[in-house]
C-alpha cells in the first residue's frame, strides 16, 4: 500500500485565502494593515529565498511587510537597536529575525530583545516557556504548521508513539512538547542517540527534522507510520527532505513531500501569528 501524500501546499493556500478575507475585514475596520518586519543579516542565499517567500505571502494576503536588509558585518548592539526601534513602531506588530545570524552575533541575546508581543517566531524565552507550561501565545511556525496538518488530516495523536529526530529550539523541541500536550508518548532523538533505527521503528508518528538528506530510509519505519518530513536540503541543486520519499511512502500511511509539505505551512503560520499579534495589539 502507498501512503496518502499530505498536500501542504493546498492546505496552506486554503488557509491563506481565509486569512486574506480576514485581513481585508481588519483593514476596513482599523484603517491600517497588520505589519511584519523581517530582518535579514548578511547574504546567506537560502535565507534570502526564505525572506522573499515570506514577503510575497504577506503581500498576497494584505499584510504590510517591511524587509530590513543589514550588512553581515553589523555589530550585535546595532542589530538590537534596529529591533528596539521596531518594538516601538506602532505600524509593526510582528518582528522576525531570519536565522542563522553571523557567528559573531549571539542569536539568543538578539531574540530576547524582541518585544514578546511581537515575537511571531515564538522563539523568545517567554514564548518558549509558556509553550512548555501549556499556556502558549506564540508557537514556532513549523511545529504549529505540522499540528495544523494533523488536525486537517484527522491524524490522532492521543496514545500514539511519536519520535522526533532533531532537538532544535525552532523545530524539534517545540514539536515534541506540542505532541506531548496532545497526549502522544514522545521520544526525542539527536546525534548522540544510539541505534536510531531501533527507536524510529517503534514510532506511529515520525517527525524528521535533522537536516540530513534522505536519512530516514524505508527500513527505519514501521508499517502504517505517519511520516512528516521537515528537512530542507540542497542536493545537486534540488531541494530534498530528510526522508527517502520513494521507499518510505511504500510503507507509511501518511507522508509529507518536500517541497510542498511542511514548508508552505511554516510560512502560513507566520501569517497567522502576525494577524494574531495585530489583533492583540490593536484593540
Ligand atoms: P538544526 O538546528 O541544525 O538541528 C538539527 C537537529 O538534528 C539537531 O538537534 C541535531 O542533533 C539533529 N541531527 C542532525 N543530524 C542527525 C543525525 N544524523 N541523527 C540524529 N539527529 C541528527 O536544524 P533545524 O533548524 O531544527 O532544522 C532541521 C531541518 O529542517 C533543516 O533541514 C532545516 O532546513 C529544516 N527546516 C525546514 C523548515 C520548513 O519550513 N520546511 C523550517 C525550519 C527548518 P544535535 O542536537 O545532537 O546536534
Amino acid at each position: 500500500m502507498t501512503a496518502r501524500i499530505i498536500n501542504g501546499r493546498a492546505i496552506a493556500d486554503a488557509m491563506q485565502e481565509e486569512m486574506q478575507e480576514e485581513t481585508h475585514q481588519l483593514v476596513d475596520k482599523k484603517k491600517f494593515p497588520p505589519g511584519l518586519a523581517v530582518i535579514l543579516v548578511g547574504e546567506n542565499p537560502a535565507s534570502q529565498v526564505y525572506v522573499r517567500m515570506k514577503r510575497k505571502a504577506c503581500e498576497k494576503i494584505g499584510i504590510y511587510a517591511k524587509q530590513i536588509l543589514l550588512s553581515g558585518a553589523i555589530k550585535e548592539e546595532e542589530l538590537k537597536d534596529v529591533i528596539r526601534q521596531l518594538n516601538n513602531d506602532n505600524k509593526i506588530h510582528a518582528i522576525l529575525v531570519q536565522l542563522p545570524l553571523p557567528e559573531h552575533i549571539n542569536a539568543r541575546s538578539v531574540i530576547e530583545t524582541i518585544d514578546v508581543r511581537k515575537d511571531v517566531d515564538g522563539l523568545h524565552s517567554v514564548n518558549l516557556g509558556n509553550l512548555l507550561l501549556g499556556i502558549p501565545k506564540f508557537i514556532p511556525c513549523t511545529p504549529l504548521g505540522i499540528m495544523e496538518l494533523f488536525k486537517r488530516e484527522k491524524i490522532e495523536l492521543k496514545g500514539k508513539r511519536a519520535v522526533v529526530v532533531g532537538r532544535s529550539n525552532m523545530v524539534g523541541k517545540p514539536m515534541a512538547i506540542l505532541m506531548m500536550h496532545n497526549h502522544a508518548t514522545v521520544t526525542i532523538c539527536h546525534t548522540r542517540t544510539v541505534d536510531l533505527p531501533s527507536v524510529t521503528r517503534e514510532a506511529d508518528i515520525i517527525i524528521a527534522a535533522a537536516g540530513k538528506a534522505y536519512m530516514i530510509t524505508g527500513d527505519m519505519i514501521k508499517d502504517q507510520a505517519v511520516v512528516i518530513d521537515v528537512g530542507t536540503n540542497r542536493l545537486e541543486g534540488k531541494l530534498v527532505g530528510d526522508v527517502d520519499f520513494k521507499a518510505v511512502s511504500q510503507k507509511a500511511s501518511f507522508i509529507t513531500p518536500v517541497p510542498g509539505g511542511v514548508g508552505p505551512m511554516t510560512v502560513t503560520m507566520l501569517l497567522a501569528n502576525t494577524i494574531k499579534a495585530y489583533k492583540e495589539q490593536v484593540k
Side-chain angles (χ1 to χ4, degrees):
M1 213 191 95
T2 54
R4 176 179 158 80
I5 298 170
I6 301 176
N7 189 340
R9 178 73 272 160
I11 295 171
D13 284 346
M15 289 182 74
Q16 287 185 22
E17 241 169 69
E18 289 162 24
M19 286 178 200
Q20 190 174 32
E21 183 62 35
E22 189 180 6
T23 29
H24 285 170
Q25 284 173 10
L26 286 169
V27 174
D28 269 352
K29 232 195 292 175
K30 310 282 185 194
K31 308 295 173 213
F32 59 94
L36 167 70
V38 180
I39 302 173
L40 176 60
V41 182
E43 288 175 4
N44 178 325
S47 295
Q48 286 172 333
V49 173
Y50 294 138
V51 167
R52 203 176 319 128
M53 272 165 34
K54 288 167 186 174
R55 185 169 47 80
K56 275 172 95 176
C58 283
E59 283 165 1
K60 184 173 143 202
I61 72 152
I63 290 175
Y64 162 61
K66 182 175 176 140
Q67 193 172 298
I68 299 163
L69 305 176
L70 301 170
S71 155
I74 192 169
K75 292 201 177 76
E76 186 174 314
E77 211 40 49
E78 290 170 334
L79 172 57
K80 287 180 176 171
D81 279 340
V82 172
I83 294 172
R84 288 184 193 108
Q85 278 171 23
L86 294 166
N87 285 344
N88 293 320
D89 184 340
N90 56 18
K91 284 201 208 69
I92 296 298
H93 312 95
I95 302 169
L96 179 151
V97 178
Q98 186 66 43
L99 300 175
L101 288 170
E103 277 189 6
H104 68 277
I105 294 177
N106 179 338
R108 175 49 40 205
S109 176
V110 167
I111 290 164
E112 297 301 322
T113 312
I114 301 172
D115 184 330
V116 175
R117 297 165 312 153
K118 300 190 179 187
D119 170 41
V120 280
D121 243 354
L123 294 176
H124 192 289
S125 57
V126 170
N127 281 317
L128 284 174
N130 283 336
L131 173 60
L132 186 65
L133 295 171
I135 48 167
K137 192 131 244 177
F138 291 114
I139 297 173
C141 301
T142 302
L144 185 59
I146 294 170
M147 293 306 289
E148 193 63 39
L149 291 179
F150 288 149
K151 201 159 86 191
R152 295 203 177 217
E153 294 287 327
K154 300 192 172 45
I155 295 168
E156 178 68 71
L157 295 174
K158 190 164 67 181
K160 298 285 169 61
R161 279 179 177 242
V163 170
V164 184
V165 185
R167 57 176 165 182
S168 68
N169 291 333
M170 191 157 50
V171 186
K173 282 187 222 167
M175 189 71 239
I177 291 164
L178 283 168
M179 292 198 293
M180 179 186 65
H181 287 160
N182 281 273
H183 312 300
T185 301
V186 183
T187 304
I188 304 178
C189 301
H190 42 77
T191 53
R192 313 305 199 281
T193 298
V194 176
D195 195 3
L196 180 66
S198 72
V199 182
T200 55
R201 269 185 221 119
E202 293 283 307
D204 301 308
I205 298 168
I206 299 180
I207 311 287
K212 294 278 172 290
Y214 302 140
M215 70 168 284
I216 305 293
T217 50
D219 60 338
M220 288 173 73
I221 72 153
K222 74 172 181 189
D223 278 335
Q224 298 297 302
V226 172
V227 181
I228 304 294
D229 192 352
V230 182
T232 49
N233 311 289
R234 285 258 155 225
L235 205 67
E236 292 159 10
K238 235 177 87 187
L239 188 67
V240 303
D242 284 2
V243 174
D244 176 355
F245 185 88
K246 213 166 152 201
V248 170
S249 60
Q250 297 303 311
K251 276 176 99 178
S253 55
F254 290 84
I255 190 166
T256 59
V258 177
V262 173
M265 292 303 290
T266 298
V267 176
T268 304
M269 301 328 284
L270 172 66
L271 304 175
N273 277 349
T274 300
I275 295 172
K276 181 174 169 172
Y278 172 87
K279 288 202 279 196
E280 275 166 19
Q281 288 164 57
V282 184
K283 296 279 182 200

